[in-house]
Every structure is written in C-alpha cells, then in structure tokens.
C-alpha cells in the first residue's frame, strides 16, 4: 500500500519553494531550465489553463493553511478579471478558469467579489449555449477561416460544474438546465459504442443537426485522444454527482471501463490510445485527470464491486506517476514532467500546469485534504 501522506508531504515541501519563486505569476509550462514562465501578460492572460495554478495554490492552502499559498491564489483570481472584460477572451473554458479560483475562494470565505466574478463567468458560459442543437459552443473564431460556430468539444464536460454551481447559488434552474442539455448531447454524439469518446463534434449551428466528427488534439477522427477520454470520465462523473442522473453515472462507467482496458502495462498513458506502441509520446495529465475521475466515481459507487476496480486503477495510475514521472526536487518548478498538449504539436513530454494541478487533487483525495473544486 502506498504512503499517500508521504507523497503529499514531498509535494508540499516542493510547492512551497515553487510558490515562493513564482509570486505574482501564472505559470503554464517551464520555459527555461526547470523554471516556469509567466502567462499573465495581456497577450496570454485569457489562455484556458490560467485557473490551474490558482487551483494548486488553494489545494496547498487547504492542506497547510500557509499564507503564501492563499496570498498567491488571490493574485491569480484578480488577474483573471481582465479576461472577464474581454469578450473574445471568454470561451467555454470558463469552468477551468473560475472554478479553481473565484469559486474556490468563495467556498472558503463566502466573499461577495469572488461570487460576482464566478456568476459573470457562469452567465457568459450559459450565453454560449446553442438551443438549436442543445450544445455549448466551444471556441470563438480562430481567424483562419474555419467556421467554429457549431463546434462542441468533450472538454466542456469539465466546465459544466460552473453552471451547476450558479444554479445552486442563485436558486435558478436555468444554468443547470443548460448543463444537462449539453451533457445529454455529449452522451449522444461524443460517446462511441465501445466507451471511447470523440474530441470535437461539428453541428449545423442553425438547425442543430450533427454534421461530422473532427480531428482535435488526438491523432484524428476515430482515434482516442487520452486526455479527452479523461475529461469525459471525470466530466460525466461530475454531472452524475451534481444531478443524481443514472444515465451520466452509467456513461461515466462505460468511459472508465474502456479507459482501464487500454491502460498499458507500465501504467504510463500515451497521448492517444491509438498511437503506435513504439511511439514514446506520453500524457501524464491524462493519467492525473483520470485518477481524479476514477476516485470520484469510486466514491459515488461505494460498496459496489466497480468501486474497488476504479479505486485500484486510480491508485496504480498515481503510483506510476509518483515512481516514473513526478519530479519532487524543490529547485525545479515542474511536478509532472511528461505531458502533451496535442498529438500533432511539435513538442511532447513536457510539463503542463494542469498535469500538476490534477496530480495534487488526486493525491489530496487520498489523504482527505482536498478542497472540492468542481
Ligand atoms: N483543450 C483542453 C485540453 O487541452 O485538454
């Protein structure tokens, strides 16, 4: 049995040094010899990952109550206000940005400014809903001629909890109503018969009819981009948690079962489950997100055989990250070292902040120190 508290202690010692070195910054990846860059300048502040560092800081604060972590989290939250005032900077990833920052702060302090930020973000997310096809539009125009008005992506399942939160907070069912319609569309058009999922589905934005699957961050149409499988696993689990709907629970289980079936013998997750076995490209972030989803799913199924299966798979994924990927050296900024943003990108096997975030969340689930984010 792994000593999860020992792993948590190593993370805390390391992140104390990382947070001290990165005061006032919002990291995405290491840009120079184990040092994070800063993505909070005006050209990068709207990047979809800019909530995860804040989320790490809140998780670290929750476990330690050390002021350094909390003070730094507040800086991130305030810097994101610039995005709320930039229509083109807002997209469907509002949940990724404001749940681990403003909502985490609100859950801690019940303060009005954080509630206001999160409700503005939720209202913007709800405004992306296309009632013709019952889906939330993913991205704005890229400016390269592609028509993205009818594009929805599986990652959005992780943004729906911002809408569930807003409905609870305002006692107004409109937000959750949009979330369940999007989740129902995702069940129908993203989840394949074998439990794998598509990344991008294209719909006609005027009629809502499904047009085609599009290649996204995996190998291409028909393939199984591993982080997309993880977003679906955790995302449907969270929709089951927030709504109590059996259909989301059984969908999360189908996706989880397929994910577990495809885990390689060494438990190190590739970028796409359909890549050549000889391809060395990995995505540790997929493993960390999947571990969070599996642990949450196991909690929902407590007492059932499936719960043990999911708990064991999550622990094996985390042990592989601990033993074969994580860097606990306090002199290095990165925690997980081999993540990949997209299969066809030039760069692979590098640190990305959401890998670190979900690794910490998963370990905190096992040590009982998690601040619930989603
Ligand atoms: N587009 C979100 C992700 O890279 O997972």
């Amino acid at each position: 049995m792994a000593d999860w508290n020992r792993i948590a202690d190593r993370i805390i010692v390391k992140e104390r040094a990382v947070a001290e070195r990165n005061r006032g910054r919002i990291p995405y990846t290491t840009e120079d010899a184990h040092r994070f860059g800063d993505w909070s300048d005006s050209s990068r502040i709207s990047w979809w990952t800019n909530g995860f560092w804040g989320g790490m800081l809140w998780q670290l604060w929750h476990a330690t109550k050390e002021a350094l972590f909390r003070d730094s989290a507040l800086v991130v939250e305030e810097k994101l206000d610039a995005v709320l005032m930039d229509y083109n900077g807002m997209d469907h990833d509002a949940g990724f940005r404001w749940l681990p920052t403003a909502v985490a702060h609100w859950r801690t302090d019940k303060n009005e400014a954080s509630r206001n930020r999160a409700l503005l973000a939720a209202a913007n997310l709800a405004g992306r809903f296309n009632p013709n096809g019952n889906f939330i539009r993913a991205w704005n125009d890229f400016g390269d001629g592609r028509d993205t008005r009818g594009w929805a992506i599986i990652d959005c399942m992780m943004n729906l909890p911002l809408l569930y939160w807003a409905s609870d907070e305002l006692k107004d069912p409109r937000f959750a109503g949009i979330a369940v319609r999007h989740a129902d569309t995702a069940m129908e058009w993203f989840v394949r018969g074998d439990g794998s999922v598509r990344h991008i589905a294209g719909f006609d934005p005027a009629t809502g009819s499904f047009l085609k699957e599009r290649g996204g961050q995996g190998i291409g149409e028909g393939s199984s981009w591993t982080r997309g499988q993880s977003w679906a696993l955790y995302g449907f689990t969270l929709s089951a948690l927030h709504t109590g709907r059996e259909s989301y629970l059984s969908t999360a289980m189908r996706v989880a079962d397929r994910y577990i079936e495809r885990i390689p013998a060494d438990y190190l997750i590739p970028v796409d489950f359909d890549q050549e076995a000889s391809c060395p490209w990995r995505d540790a972030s997929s493993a960390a997100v999947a571990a969070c989803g599996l642990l949450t799913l196991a909690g929902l199924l407590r007492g059932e055989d499936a719960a043990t299966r999911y708990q064991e798979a999550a622990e094996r994924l985390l042990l592989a990250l601990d033993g074969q990927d994580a860097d606990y050296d306090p002199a290095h900024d990165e925690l997980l070292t081999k993540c990949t943003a997209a299969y066809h990108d030039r760069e692979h096997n590098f640190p990305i902040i959401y890998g670190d975030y979900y690794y910490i969340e998963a370990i905190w689930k096992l040590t009982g120190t998690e601040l619930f984010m989603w």
Side-chain angles (χ1 to χ4, degrees):
M1 187 51 166
D3 185 346
W4 304 112
N5 286 307
R6 184 192 62 84
I7 295 174
D9 287 345
R10 295 184 79 187
I11 291 172
I12 289 168
V13 169
K14 176 191 174 91
E15 294 303 330
R16 216 175 258 137
V18 177
E20 189 60 58
R21 271 197 299 277
N22 287 278
R23 279 180 188 267
R25 296 170 153 225
I26 302 185
Y28 170 63
T29 185
T30 48
E31 294 179 358
D32 192 16
H34 302 293
R35 286 285 175 273
F36 282 144
D38 179 15
W39 283 57
S40 66
D41 57 86
S42 60
S43 67
R44 302 193 286 193
I45 186 64
S46 61
W47 188 232
W48 74 276
T49 66
N50 277 352
F52 290 111
W53 175 238
M56 282 172 65
L57 294 163
W58 277 115
Q59 295 292 5
L60 289 154
W61 177 80
H62 200 245
T64 65
K65 300 295 185 289
E66 291 175 19
L68 164 66
F69 297 128
R70 182 190 161 87
D71 294 350
S72 299
L74 301 189
V75 173
V76 175
E77 181 182 341
E78 284 181 18
K79 285 192 172 199
L80 290 179
D81 286 354
V83 188
L84 282 176
M85 291 304 295
D86 173 14
Y87 181 78
N88 284 323
M90 297 296 289
D91 59 25
H92 77 124
D93 284 327
F96 282 132
R97 283 175 286 185
W98 282 278
L99 284 166
T101 55
V103 177
H105 189 187
W106 176 87
R107 285 189 165 124
T108 306
D109 285 355
K110 299 283 185 288
N111 72 89
E112 202 46 48
S114 297
R115 180 177 185 271
N116 182 53
R117 291 178 173 116
L119 288 174
L120 284 170
N124 187 282
L125 180 58
R128 303 186 70 81
F129 182 66
N130 183 327
N132 302 325
N134 288 320
F135 65 87
I136 292 172
R137 177 178 175 177
W139 298 300
N140 304 323
D141 285 336
F142 295 131
D144 61 3
R146 284 181 291 175
D147 181 357
T148 60
R149 291 174 302 163
W151 290 17
I153 70 173
I154 195 63
D155 324 25
C156 192
M157 290 302 301
M158 290 299 294
N159 292 312
L160 301 185
L162 182 62
L163 299 175
Y164 297 128
W165 172 82
S167 265
D168 280 352
E169 188 51 29
L170 297 172
K171 305 287 176 279
D172 181 339
R174 287 177 302 154
F175 298 91
I178 286 172
V180 297
R181 281 176 201 202
H182 179 90
D184 288 349
T185 301
M187 267 193 318
E188 183 174 359
W189 293 109
F190 284 82
V191 185
R192 305 183 183 116
D194 65 0
S196 69
V197 299
R198 297 168 163 158
H199 184 197
I200 304 176
F203 300 91
D204 182 318
T207 66
S209 58
F210 175 76
L211 297 176
K212 61 181 286 205
E213 173 175 353
R214 295 180 166 274
Q217 286 162 250
I219 293 177
E221 290 86 356
S223 79
S224 294
W225 174 48
T226 59
R227 196 164 59 258
Q229 315 306 300
S230 302
W231 293 141
L233 195 177
Y234 199 8
F236 279 109
T237 299
L238 290 167
S239 273
L241 178 73
H242 286 290
T243 67
R245 290 188 183 206
E246 169 58 33
S247 56
Y248 300 152
L249 186 65
S250 56
T251 301
M253 291 174 72
R254 281 175 56 217
V255 175
D257 289 340
R258 183 62 179 157
Y259 192 98
I260 291 170
E261 254 173 51
R262 302 207 69 183
I263 293 176
D266 59 7
Y267 274 78
L268 296 176
I269 300 301
V271 180
D272 194 305
F273 280 130
D274 295 320
Q275 73 193 38
E276 297 288 329
S278 58
C279 175
W281 298 341
R282 299 256 162 71
D283 187 13
S285 73
S286 170
V289 175
C292 289
L294 289 165
L295 291 172
T296 308
L297 193 50
L300 287 178
L301 296 164
R302 190 158 290 128
E304 295 181 29
D305 289 347
T308 310
R309 186 165 77 246
Y310 298 145
Q311 179 87 20
E312 282 177 4
E315 293 189 12
R316 282 173 186 261
L317 287 167
L318 293 169
L319 282 179
L321 293 177
D322 171 54
Q324 302 180 67
D325 192 304
D327 177 344
Y328 297 107
D329 184 344
H332 297 171
D333 283 353
E334 69 276 26
L335 181 53
L336 295 191
T337 58
K338 293 192 182 68
C339 304
T340 295
Y343 183 86
H344 293 290
D345 282 355
R346 269 209 298 265
E347 199 177 357
H348 304 91
N349 297 358
F350 67 103
I352 313 183
I353 198 69
Y354 43 78
D356 293 7
Y357 171 78
Y358 284 102
Y359 184 53
I360 291 176
E361 182 184 307
I363 298 295
W364 270 216
K365 285 182 193 299
L366 291 165
T367 55
T369 46
E370 179 196 13
L371 175 64
F372 181 71
M373 288 286 171
W374 312 105

